Amino acid sequence: MEQNLKINQIVSYTQKSKFGEGKYYGYGKEKFLGIIKLGTNKNIIGYGETLVGVYSPKLFKINISYISKFIVGKDLKSSLRQLTNLKRNKFFFDSGILKSIISGIEIAIFDILAQANHCNHSNIIKNYFQKKNQISKNTKVYASAGSINSSLKDLKKDIHRSKGFEINTFKARIGLNKNFSKKIDILKNEIDNFALDLIANTYKKNEDLRKVQSFLNYIKKTKPVWIEEILNTDSLYKFKGLKKHKLKFSYGENFNSFSDFVSLLEYYKFNFINPDLSHLSTFDFEFLCNFLEKRNHKDKIIIHCWGGAINFIYSLYISQVFSKNVKFVEFPIAESNFMKKVFQNISIVNSKCFINERIKSFKDIIDTNKLEKIETSKLTFNFY
């Protein structure tokens, strides 16, 4: 059937929700997502999510209109090949906004393929990439919340929420101010395992290298599972000077090219990398996993997911196929409506997440009535 399926429509939407009680740095009271809808000549509809839609809805719409002319009218597999061919133009498609949109389109195409073949998304992905390994039945997740602006009471509330999901690894965002040690004490006492995120690419107050060194001297006795985004990308050349602390570091949510992640592992020697599948092409991810296996690197990937339902569930499906490479998938537990239908379709036991077989399409996990078409007259930039 899929050979006769052709893409006949691509529509860009935003999805918004109240988010984290308005306490998350870089967001107001609401958060926006970029959603892609693909229509076909057989009325099978696929949905994808792209990280870039968060930052500028107008640029999202303009660029998806540009990319759509390469695939509208083509069948699904030809469309995937065409998107791969576009990425060979390294001047425009190797990273950035166009690559992020391609990632979202790929997700929507795999959503259509799953429906057309009457099987789940992990089987479609496994078969498409001709993987011979067994599909994992579950994926380890960690709870992600702990706003950099949160009070100590807020942090305890977030940790309690994590434990309510039976998740024993929790990531908190930390500001290098006077009370960070109090937050560390709460994490040590309230949760089995914790990670820390300095969000240095958005939070300028964490860019002072002297404060970073002092923080690392303090934290090394507490043994966090990892420390994320310790430096701004413009300061990555200073990372080698931080490795003396013998802590584990991860990086990469803002990157979306294969070469970026190879550099993080091979040159900078980060312990873990954080690709986001609504930003990094699924094909680049598969290529990256092949690279890791050739280097005999296991459990190097901690998938970044700070978006919505499609991003999270698709990340779980991908990790089921590439389980040897994935250590964790990020589970955003900050209060929002984005994940409302996700809770009905997963179960978590001792931090292992299982997907309910009821999911036939990503339409099942989002509220399509709440999607809003992007008005090109409205220009918004949500840069921090």
Side-chain angles (χ1 to χ4, degrees):
M1 180 181 179
E2 65 191 53
Q3 288 83 2
N4 300 318
L5 273 171
K6 292 185 178 181
I7 296 170
N8 62 11
Q9 184 187 44
I10 301 181
V11 186
S12 54
Y13 294 95
T14 57
Q15 182 184 11
K16 68 180 180 180
S17 169
K18 292 181 179 180
F19 182 70
E21 299 179 340
K23 295 178 181 179
Y24 279 78
Y25 182 79
Y27 304 96
K29 293 182 179 179
E30 293 182 321
K31 181 178 176 180
F32 292 81
L33 302 179
I35 304 296
I36 296 169
K37 176 185 175 183
L38 292 189
T40 65
N41 60 325
K42 300 293 184 180
N43 294 321
I44 299 177
I45 295 170
Y47 288 90
E49 183 179 333
T50 173
L51 184 63
V52 76
V54 173
Y55 298 104
S56 175
K58 183 175 181 181
L59 288 179
F60 170 36
K61 179 164 186 171
I62 291 170
N63 284 280
I64 202 169
S65 296
Y66 170 69
I67 294 173
S68 67
K69 69 180 184 179
F70 294 100
I71 61 173
V72 168
K74 289 185 169 62
D75 64 72
L76 301 181
K77 290 191 176 179
S78 295
S79 296
L80 289 172
R81 284 195 296 269
Q82 182 61 49
L83 294 175
T84 298
N85 287 335
L86 287 176
K87 288 180 289 183
R88 289 186 178 136
N89 183 333
K90 300 302 181 183
F91 290 96
F92 297 104
F93 290 95
D94 191 47
S95 61
I97 186 170
L98 293 171
K99 186 76 166 288
S100 187
I101 290 170
I102 286 173
S103 304
I105 294 172
E106 289 173 352
I107 293 170
I109 290 175
F110 281 115
D111 188 31
I112 294 170
L113 285 170
Q115 296 171 70
N117 287 278
H118 306 287
C119 64
N120 67 35
H121 297 64
S122 54
N123 276 306
I124 281 294
I125 293 161
K126 176 187 174 181
N127 293 337
Y128 188 90
F129 290 107
Q130 298 180 343
K131 308 305 287 186
K132 295 180 180 179
N133 57 289
Q134 284 191 333
I135 293 173
S136 175
K137 293 180 180 179
N138 60 75
T139 301
K140 283 195 78 173
V141 295
Y142 74 89
S144 181
S147 166
I148 212 164
N149 293 328
S150 66
S151 66
L152 300 180
K153 182 179 179 181
D154 293 330
L155 180 59
K156 287 183 178 181
K157 180 181 174 183
D158 286 337
I159 293 171
H160 180 75
R161 184 170 167 82
S162 171
K163 290 160 80 172
F165 285 118
E166 289 195 37
I167 303 174
N168 60 18
T169 300
F170 179 90
K171 185 180 79 176
R173 291 141 186 87
I174 295 289
L176 303 183
N177 49 26
K178 291 181 180 179
N179 81 334
F180 81 78
S181 61
K182 294 179 180 178
K183 288 191 173 183
I184 302 301
D185 288 341
I186 289 172
L187 289 164
K188 285 192 300 184
N189 294 326
E190 300 284 339
I191 193 79
D192 293 342
N193 306 295
F194 69 91
L196 302 169
D197 191 345
L198 267 62
I199 60 170
N201 282 307
T202 53
Y203 194 66
K204 292 183 179 180
K205 293 180 181 179
N206 278 354
E207 292 184 21
D208 187 320
L209 196 59
R210 289 174 299 178
K211 287 185 177 180
V212 172
Q213 293 280 15
S214 177
F215 164 75
L216 293 176
N217 277 325
Y218 177 86
I219 201 70
K220 62 186 177 184
K221 294 179 182 178
T222 66
K223 297 181 179 178
V225 184
W226 73 88
I227 301 172
E228 194 166 317
E229 210 172 319
I230 188 73
L231 294 169
N232 185 283
T233 53
D234 293 336
S235 301
L236 272 181
Y237 66 93
K238 300 175 183 177
F239 178 63
K240 289 185 178 181
L242 304 181
K243 293 184 68 180
K244 64 183 180 182
H245 297 280
K246 297 183 179 179
L247 291 159
K248 292 186 177 180
F249 297 92
S250 72
Y251 208 89
E253 66 189 66
N254 53 308
F255 292 140
N256 65 344
S257 78
F258 169 75
S259 58
D260 288 330
F261 291 104
V262 172
S263 294
L264 291 174
L265 290 170
E266 299 281 290
Y267 178 74
Y268 292 106
K269 306 294 183 184
F270 277 91
N271 302 91
F272 308 111
I273 50 175
N274 307 123
D276 187 313
L277 289 158
S278 67
H279 194 49
L280 176 73
S281 162
T282 299
F283 289 79
D284 280 27
F285 185 87
E286 189 260 349
F287 196 38
L288 179 61
C289 288
N290 290 340
F291 169 82
L292 293 174
E293 288 177 18
K294 288 176 183 176
R295 289 287 200 275
N296 201 28
H297 291 319
K298 293 183 180 179
D299 294 335
K300 283 289 183 180
I301 295 175
I302 299 173
I303 293 179
H304 176 265
C305 177
W306 193 236
I310 295 174
N311 187 6
F312 177 65
I313 294 295
Y314 187 71
S315 297
L316 293 180
Y317 282 129
I318 285 284
S319 65
Q320 287 178 344
V321 178
F322 299 96
S323 56
K324 286 193 292 187
N325 306 110
V326 178
K327 183 177 180 68
F328 284 109
V329 169
E330 180 175 18
F331 182 26
I333 65 167
E335 293 177 2
S336 76
N337 291 326
F338 296 138
M339 306 295 281
K340 188 176 285 187
K341 290 190 176 183
V342 168
F343 301 141
Q344 304 164 16
N345 287 287
I346 62 170
S347 57
I348 302 173
V349 179
N350 193 26
S351 297
K352 294 177 180 178
C353 189
F354 299 80
I355 308 174
N356 195 308
E357 290 295 328
R358 287 196 303 265
I359 299 176
K360 305 301 180 186
S361 160
F362 291 143
K363 184 180 180 181
D364 298 335
I365 55 171
I366 60 172
D367 189 345
T368 55
N369 294 322
K370 297 290 178 65
L371 298 182
E372 298 180 14
K373 283 190 176 181
I374 298 167
E375 299 293 333
T376 53
S377 61
K378 295 179 182 179
L379 178 62
T380 57
F381 289 93
N382 297 322
F383 300 122
Y384 305 132

